[in-house]
Amino acid sequence: MSVLSVEHLSTQFTTDQGIVRAVRDVSFSVEKGEILGIVGESGSGKSVTMFSIMGLLAGNGTVTDGRIILDGEDLSPSAFSSEKEYEKKMCAVRGNQMAMIFQDPMTFLNPVLRIESQLVEPILNHTKLSRKEAVDRAIELMGKVGIPSPEKRIKQYPHQFSGGMRQRIIIAMALACNPKLIIADEPTTALDVTIQAQVLELISAIKDEFGSSVILITHDLGVVAQTCDRVAIMYGGKIVEQGSAEDIFYSPNHPYTKGLLGCVTNPESEFSEPLHPIPGSPPDLLKPPAGCPFLDRCPNAMRVCRDYMPETTVFSDSHFSRCWLNQKGGAAG
Amino acid sequence: MLKYIARRVFIGLLTMLFLITATFFLMRIIPGSPFINDDESVAAQKQYAQLEAKYGLDKPLTEQFGIYMKGLAHGDLGDSLIKKGKSVVDIISTTAPVTMRLGLTAFVFSMVVGIGLGITAALSKSRTLNNFVMLLSTIGVSVPNFLLALFLMLVFGVYLEIFPTIGLKTPLHYVLPTIAVSLHPVAMISRLTRTSMMEVMRQDYMVLAKSKGTAKWVVVLKHGLRNALLPVVTYAGPLIANLLTGSFVVETLFSIPGIGSEFVGSVTNRDYTLIMGLTIFMGFLVIVMNLLSDVVSAWVDPRIKLDK
C-alpha cells in the first residue's frame, strides 16, 4: 500500500483578479521508503500541491476536488464534516505522520525564539514526553542532523546559525516524531552548492535510517538525478510526465521533459555547447487553456493540442505521460 | 548588557546636564518675574528689589546658575518662590504619586486594550470589526483629550451619573480620567499592533510553526505576538514617561492634584526653582523609560544587539 496517494487533486485561489486554478487534476502516489521528485518551474503548482496535502494553504486557497490518502486514512478536506474537524485532525497529523521541510531556512525559523523552544514544539505536540525528555530528544536530533555541540547550540537563536545549519534544524524539526512522509519543498534552493550536496545527502541518509518516504520538490534536475527514485514533471498545474528516474532521464516522452533536459549543462562535454532554453512563459492559470498547457511553447504543437486536454499514455507500470504525440499513431508514439 | 547600560546612564547624565542648563537660561529669558507687580510706586518697587535680593535673583545670571548647580549637587532643589515655606522636593513628592497612580492605570489600560484590539482586528476576517478599530484609532488620534474629558464628564458624570468627576478618591474616580488620557495611546497601540500582527501572520515561520501540528491560537500567541510587539515596546517607553508626567488639562478638569497642573502653574507664575525641579524630574523619567524600553526591546528580539 502506498504511504500517500493523491487522486485528482485540484486546488484554487480566490484573488482580486479572479480564480487561479493552481493545481488541476493531479494524481500520484508515494511508496514506502522511496524518494519521489516533483520537478517543474516556478508557478507550476508543485508547492501548492504539497501545501494542499499538508492543509497549510493560505486563507484564500481551497482544495476543490480530489482525495488525499495518507497511510490508508482519508485526509481530504471534503472528508470532514467541518473545517474545524479537519483542522483538529490535521493538527494531530502535521509534524507527526507527515512533516515538511521548507525552502528558505533564513525566513522559516522564528527569529525571537530559541532553537530549543522551536525544536521541542513538535515533540511536545505529539508525544507524552516531559519537557526535559523532549529537550534531550531535541539535542539527540540536532546531533543526528550534524550540528556540532548541540547541547550548547540549542540555547541559541536562529540568527546565530548559518543557512546550512538552519536548514539542518528545520530538518531536525521535521524528523522529530519520525514521520511516515517528509515533504521537502525545494530544501536546497536557498543554499550554496556545497551545502546543497550535504543537505541532500542528509535527507537520503535520514530516509534510510527513519524509513520515511520523501517527496522532494525541486526545479533542479541535477538534484533529481542524484537522489530520486521516481519523478513527476509538473507544468501549468498538471503532471505532464511521471516515471522512474531512468525513464525520465533516458527516455523522456513529453516535449516539456525533453525541453527541461535540454536546459541542463554537461560539464564533462569537451565543447561549450549552448544551452537550449524553452522559449515563452507558462500559461496564466487565471484562464487556464482548455487544451494542453504547454501548447504555446511546444515545438511539436498540433491542432488537437489547442482544444483537447491530452489523455494519459501508459508506457509501463510506472511511466505515464500526457501528450497527444505519445498517443498511438502520434508522431513520437 | 551592563556595559551598555552604564554607557546609556552616562549619556543620560550628559543629557540631563544639557537640559538643566538650557532650561535655566531659557526660562530667565522669558520676560516677567515671580514677584512682578503692576504697582509702580516707590514702595512697591523697593519691596520687589528686597524680595529679589532675598532669593539671589539680583546676582549675575551665571553666578545664580553656579549657586543652583551647587545646590543640585547636594540634592537640594531649593524652595518654591511662590508657595511659601514649601520646598520643591515637597511639592514633587506630594503631587507626583497622584499623577503616577493615574498614569500607571492609564498605561496598563492602554496596553491591554490597545494590544487586544489590535490582535483581534488583525486576526478577524470581519470587515465591521476592522473598520471599527480603524475608526476608533482615527478618532483617538485626532480628538484632543480635553474635549474627550469634557464629553465623558458630561455624559457619564452629569447626565447618567455613573462615575464621579472630581478627584481620585475611589477606584470609580479613576474611570473617566483614565479613559480620557488613554484614548490616544489606545488608538496608537491598536493601530501599531494590528499592522505588525498582520505583517507577522504572513511570515514564513508562522507556516512552519503550523506545520509542526501546533494549534492555531498557540501559533498566534507564541510565535506571532512576540514578533508583533516590537514596535509597541518602542512606543511604550516614551508613552509611560508621558503618562507619568501627567496631563495638565485632564488633571485640571477632574480636579486632580497632580504634577501636570503644577508644571503649568510654575511656568505662569515664573516659579523658577519649581520649573527647574519639575523639568529635572520629568527629564529623568523620560531618560529612564527610554532606556528601559530599549532593554525590553532587546529582550523581546534577541537580534537587537545592545552592546554594539
Side-chain angles (χ1 to χ4, degrees), chain A residues 51 54-56 87 91 94-95 102 107-113 117-118 121-122 125-126 157 159 170 173, chain B residues 125 203-205 207-216 218 222-224 226-227 299-303 305:
Chain A
F51 278 77
M54 289 287 289
L56 289 174
E87 198 48 45
C91 268
R94 282 186 211 124
F102 294 91
T107 59
F108 275 94
L109 287 173
N110 192 330
V112 304
L113 297 178
S117 96
Q118 303 191 50
E121 209 173 357
N125 281 343
H126 301 298
Y157 290 96
H159 68 275
I170 293 180
M173 283 177 192
Chain B
K125 284 184 185 131
Q203 295 297 313
D204 289 340
Y205 52 77
V207 177
L208 180 91
K210 220 178 150 194
S211 85
K212 291 187 274 194
T214 309
K216 196 184 163 199
V218 181
K222 182 177 168 191
H223 293 267
R226 195 153 162 195
N227 279 291
W299 173 72
V300 171
D301 188 345
R303 284 169 302 177
K305 283 267 197 315

Side-chain angles (χ1 to χ4, degrees), chain B residues 154-212:
Chain B
L154 198 64
V155 174
F156 296 99
V158 179
Y159 294 143
L160 300 176
E161 294 182 26
I162 305 176
F163 298 112
T165 55
I166 293 173
L168 277 183
K169 282 191 210 71
T170 66
L172 268 188
H173 284 81
Y174 279 86
V175 176
L176 295 184
T178 301
I179 295 175
V181 273
S182 301
L183 187 69
H184 187 265
V186 164
M188 293 293 290
I189 294 171
S190 60
R191 196 178 266 252
L192 277 174
T193 312
R194 177 176 171 270
T195 314
S196 79
M197 195 72 200
M198 280 165 71
E199 183 61 36
V200 165
M201 291 305 287
R202 280 197 293 270
Q203 295 297 313
D204 289 340
Y205 52 77
M206 299 297 274
V207 177
L208 180 91
K210 220 178 150 194
S211 85
K212 291 187 274 194

Side-chain angles (χ1 to χ4, degrees), chain B residues 246-288:
Chain B
S247 153
F248 165 67
V249 183
V250 173
E251 287 184 1
T252 311
L253 284 174
F254 288 97
S255 312
I256 296 165
I259 204 166
S261 37
E262 286 298 338
F263 201 44
V264 177
S266 71
V267 176
T268 42
N269 292 332
R270 306 285 187 277
D271 191 344
Y272 296 138
T273 43
L274 189 56
I275 296 178
M276 288 306 294
L278 291 171
T279 307
I280 291 169
F281 177 71
M282 292 183 184
F284 175 76
L285 269 182
V286 171
I287 289 169
V288 169

Side-chain angles (χ1 to χ4, degrees), chain A residues 46-58 94-96 98-110 118 121-122 162-175 181-191 195-196 199-200 202-203 214-219, chain B residues 202-214 219 223:
Chain A
K46 313 176 298 266
S47 294
V48 175
T49 307
M50 297 310 134
F51 278 77
S52 306
I53 295 168
M54 289 287 289
L56 289 174
L57 290 171
R94 282 186 211 124
N96 191 10
M98 59 178 168
M100 199 156 171
I101 299 168
F102 294 91
Q103 191 170 20
D104 188 351
M106 304 315 249
T107 59
F108 275 94
L109 287 173
N110 192 330
Q118 303 191 50
E121 209 173 357
S162 67
M165 285 295 154
R166 290 190 208 189
Q167 191 60 288
R168 285 168 193 268
I169 290 167
I170 293 180
I171 294 172
M173 283 177 192
L175 291 176
L181 176 68
I182 297 171
I183 298 173
D185 184 6
E186 301 193 29
T188 57
T189 306
L191 303 173
I195 309 292
Q196 275 186 19
V199 167
L200 287 174
L202 179 65
I203 291 175
V214 176
I215 299 178
L216 182 68
I217 300 177
T218 178
H219 44 235
Chain B
R202 280 197 293 270
Q203 295 297 313
D204 289 340
Y205 52 77
M206 299 297 274
V207 177
L208 180 91
K210 220 178 150 194
S211 85
K212 291 187 274 194
T214 309
V219 174
H223 293 267

Side-chain angles (χ1 to χ4, degrees), chain A residues 261-277:
Chain A
L261 291 166
C263 297
V264 182
T265 45
N266 181 3
E268 282 161 20
S269 162
E270 285 177 36
F271 312 101
S272 61
E273 288 173 44
L275 288 175
H276 302 286

Side-chain angles (χ1 to χ4, degrees), chain A residues 81-94:
Chain A
S81 56
S82 69
E83 201 177 321
K84 211 176 152 193
E85 286 292 311
Y86 173 67
E87 198 48 45
K88 201 175 144 198
K89 176 69 193 168
M90 288 313 283
C91 268
V93 171
R94 282 186 211 124

